[in-house]
Amino acid sequence: MPKDVGIGASTKRREDVRFLTGRGRYVDDIDLPGQAYVHFLRSDVAHGRIVSLDVSAAAAMPGVVAVFTGADFEGVGGLPCGWQVTGRDGQPMAEPPHPVLAQGKVRHVGDPIAAVVAETRGQARDAAEAIAVEIEELPAQVDMAAALAEGAAKVHDETASNLCYDWVFGSDDAAIEAAFSGAAHVTTLDLVNQRLAPNAMEPRVAVGDYAAHSDESTLYTTSQNPHVIRLLMGAFVLGIPEHKLRVVAPDVGGGFGSKIFHYAEEALCTFAAKQLRRPVKWTSTRSEAFLSDAQGRDHVTKIELALDGEGRFLGLRTHTLANMGAYLSTFAPSVPTYLHGTLMAGNYTTPAVQVNVKAVFTNTVAVDAYRGAGRPEATYQLERVIDKAAREMGIDPVEIRRRNFITSFPYATPVAVEYDTGNYGATMDRLLAMIDRDGFEARAAESRARGRLRGLGINCYIEACGIAPSALVGQLGARAGLYESATVRVNATGGVVVMTGSHSHGQGHETAFPQVVADMIGIDASQVEVVHGDTANTPMGMGTYGSRSLAVGGSAMVRATEKIIAKAKKIAAHLMEASDQDIELKDGQFTVAGTDRSVAWGDVTLAAYVPHNYPITELEPGLEETAFYDPANFTYPAGAYACEVEVDPETGQVTILAFAAADDFGNIVNPMIVDGQVHGGIGQGIGQALLESCQYDEAGQMVTGSYMDYAMPRAVDVPFYKVDHSCVTPCTHNPLGVKGCGEAGAIGSPPAVVNAVIDALQRGGMAHVTHIDMPLSPSRVWAAMQG
């Protein structure tokens, strides 16, 4: 088929037509007959014991339908955690219950205490203010080190302490000690990867509905994985059989990880709808989102790198405190362990790597996966300590990386994963060609002439994507398989419907997936429709996160389409009186090899539904196939990034002048979509590096709970990016050879920005500034400059 429409073409996103014209259908657009509204009374203290709770006045307010409290959920399961981590002592992690509504205690500001259901939103909100609740305030744990101190007040009375787990991974103690004792140089760095709020454009929304005639519940929700929500909420929380529970996630306005998880509000709306026999709707405000959406990052780390006299890495060890918040969110335990520790080898041949993570409960909002999820934390630690080591040893930062690059594949790292392919030297070469490094000194001189300090930061990254395979993640603690699914249905007239367990919330699936299927068949992509987001008409799938949609979901589509083509070839063979082994399919035409005999795709698909036209007894009528794909390994995108900045020495203001990204994503289906994904990721990484941070005071009150205090990147804060993905080493174990691109920008960009700022200050004579914790706000940079 023409290469301007199939795999490799920058086809415009078909879904953007409805989004740009205001015709998207989001959960908040769904209003059902007889619908009521729910408002949550949330805790205004971070830690306390509920002494009394009186809802009688609220229940008597105008329009109030019902008021629910924790007592209504005493026989109901709590929100489950989907991943179990085993500590260094061989014991499973502490896993305290997570009630739908607070029972006995509140554990963070925003913890839901009661839910008021009323005829209107205003009535529900007014009635919530009439609830009388008395809370005995307890000491709040906000600082992780203090929470682990002996005698610290416990977030959960059921646990022995505030330690969730103490996890060690990688090389054994003897190997690490040998590496460090034999080192010519050791670089040490203490750093913070600060807490971030995801801030998807669309806040979370849930609408519960119940059909009494069939005893079926439906939840409309802003989710990245509706099948997982159905499994968790149905089986573990509300006890609803899966065949009696439908979960629908229509258009979703971004997620960045925060919409992976099962939330209390979803369970409450579903539960209330059944209890009240009418639909119940909740729409989060932005203020609620800051207090209830799972947040990201929040690591405090000490990292040490051992090197020989030539700058070759001998050993690496890290000690990290990872904040879990007040409760274990769905995938929270996996983020600082298996999504972080397994990537600490980076792109390098370090022979000994050991990672220690202590996960800590605090009286703060839960922390879970946020764009990159563990991979940004690993990359930031590693690339910052490498840059510091290069300066201490007087080695060029590019050269020290080149000396340690992995060059032979497959490569088994000391932290349990095996990279199947890559070419880190090629991506570095491409990056250097993009940034004109040789001309940097002249640009720095021009900045000095204007009273500015210019710096250049360069780093590498690698990530594990295509989150799976089930066998490996099961060994690592996952409580569910991480395969993906697809059903491909060919209509009699040749059109194709692809039903996928993956979910699109900004990735462009409705454009990229048809490109894959259409390319395989040789038809126009407009003949292929994608259906997703509804558990009632899609096969069981694990959803979208971890840059897995194309690598895992797309591979399932390939396998299902291969089954379609194999059956269609048999039909075509009968129509042309040939052997199916001699049938070829190209550009929508079936031909007999070596002849001019052919039959069109549409003729074969019609014949499939008129079985007397091909009396082949072993073939069933119709043309529909399903495939489940469980990959053999993770995929490993990698790349090299560069950032050029100016610093105003009088104010500490950082301006990003240029940013370049050279990525190896394997094969590319739609380059335009890939560019957009990288652009967005870099923007979020710049936001973390310079602007964003969730801050709590000593009492556990969030002091950055609105956009007045939580600084989001704006257009003026980011440059025009140079991005390149021409360095291609295809993945060796999936049929498309793809690796994933959705998180790379957010992984590789923070260290590039920080490295650039440190370079600018050091070039300006401030040798004492070796590190500044993110975000590099003007006040922090200025303070560091003053020593």
Side-chain angles (χ1 to χ4, degrees), residues 159-172:
T159 61
S161 69
N162 290 318
L163 180 69
C164 179
Y165 55 76
D166 182 356
W167 180 81
V168 176
F169 196 67
S171 305
D172 59 31

Side-chain angles (χ1 to χ4, degrees), residues 42 109-110 195-199 284-293 295 365 692-697 700-712:
R42 299 183 183 274
V109 174
R195 181 183 288 232
L196 302 175
N199 284 309
S284 174
T285 66
R286 189 61 66 180
S287 296
E288 275 187 295
F290 275 104
L291 301 177
S292 63
D293 291 5
Q295 296 170 348
V365 176
E692 299 183 49
S693 181
C694 285
Q695 295 289 330
Y696 291 84
D697 66 15
Q701 296 288 336
M702 182 181 286
V703 296
T704 53
S706 77
Y707 291 145
M708 294 294 290
D709 302 294
Y710 188 94
M712 294 282 285

Side-chain angles (χ1 to χ4, degrees), residues 450-514:
R450 292 185 289 103
R452 299 290 188 267
L453 306 176
R454 186 180 287 241
L456 177 63
I458 293 175
N459 61 267
C460 300
Y461 80 91
I462 188 169
E463 56 170 325
C465 290
I467 299 301
S470 297
L472 175 58
V473 297
Q475 294 173 11
L476 299 179
R479 288 168 164 163
L482 291 180
Y483 51 83
E484 201 45 78
S485 62
T487 295
V488 177
R489 175 183 298 158
V490 183
N491 298 319
T493 53
V496 180
V497 179
V498 178
M499 291 157 279
T500 173
S502 298
H503 184 275
S504 181
H505 41 278
Q507 291 83 358
H509 291 178
E510 294 174 38
T511 300
F513 286 165

Side-chain angles (χ1 to χ4, degrees), residues 21 102 196 206 243 267 285 288 308 380 387 397 399 424 428 444 527 542 551 629 703:
T21 56
L196 302 175
H243 68 284
T285 66
E288 275 187 295
D308 69 12
Y380 183 66
D387 230 53
E399 175 57 29
Y424 311 141
M428 180 62 80
Q527 292 183 258
M542 303 311 292
Y629 181 78
V703 296

Side-chain angles (χ1 to χ4, degrees), residues 87-101:
R88 69 160 84 201
D89 59 0
Q91 297 301 308
M93 65 189 186
E95 194 171 356
H98 184 179
V100 175
L101 295 175

Side-chain angles (χ1 to χ4, degrees), residues 134-182:
E134 180 183 352
I135 298 176
E136 175 194 352
E137 195 163 356
L138 301 172
Q141 301 296 341
V142 177
D143 178 81
M144 287 187 283
L148 292 179
E150 186 175 353
K154 293 189 293 184
V155 176
H156 294 275
D157 298 338
E158 303 90 339
T159 61
S161 69
N162 290 318
L163 180 69
C164 179
Y165 55 76
D166 182 356
W167 180 81
V168 176
F169 196 67
S171 305
D172 59 31
D173 291 344
I176 288 294
E177 291 304 320
F180 277 82
S181 63

Side-chain angles (χ1 to χ4, degrees), residues 599-742:
V599 62
W601 167 257
D603 294 331
V604 171
T605 62
L606 181 60
Y609 290 91
V610 187
H612 60 265
N613 285 343
Y614 64 98
I616 310 174
T617 56
E618 67 270 20
L619 287 184
E620 297 177 350
L623 207 50
E624 179 174 324
E625 299 288 349
T626 296
F628 286 77
Y629 181 78
D630 199 346
N633 192 0
F634 297 114
T635 64
Y636 298 98
Y641 283 18
C643 178
E644 198 162 314
V645 302
E646 271 190 348
V647 179
D648 183 340
E650 294 188 358
T651 65
Q653 177 68 45
V654 176
T655 301
I656 297 180
L657 303 174
F659 200 104
D663 297 289
D664 175 5
F665 295 136
N667 293 333
I668 303 293
V669 170
N670 188 309
M672 180 195 69
I673 290 178
V674 171
D675 287 351
Q677 288 290 313
V678 175
H679 289 180
I682 294 172
Q684 285 183 282
I686 289 173
Q688 175 171 15
L690 298 182
L691 297 162
E692 299 183 49
S693 181
C694 285
Q695 295 289 330
Y696 291 84
D697 66 15
E698 292 181 356
Q701 296 288 336
M702 182 181 286
V703 296
T704 53
S706 77
Y707 291 145
M708 294 294 290
D709 302 294
Y710 188 94
M712 294 282 285
R714 299 161 296 174
V716 70
D717 298 310
V718 298
F720 286 97
Y721 312 116
K722 292 182 179 179
V723 299
D724 180 271
H725 30 77
S726 62
C727 298
V728 175
T729 59
C731 175
T732 60
H733 56 77
N734 69 53
L736 288 167
V738 298
K739 295 183 177 182
C741 67

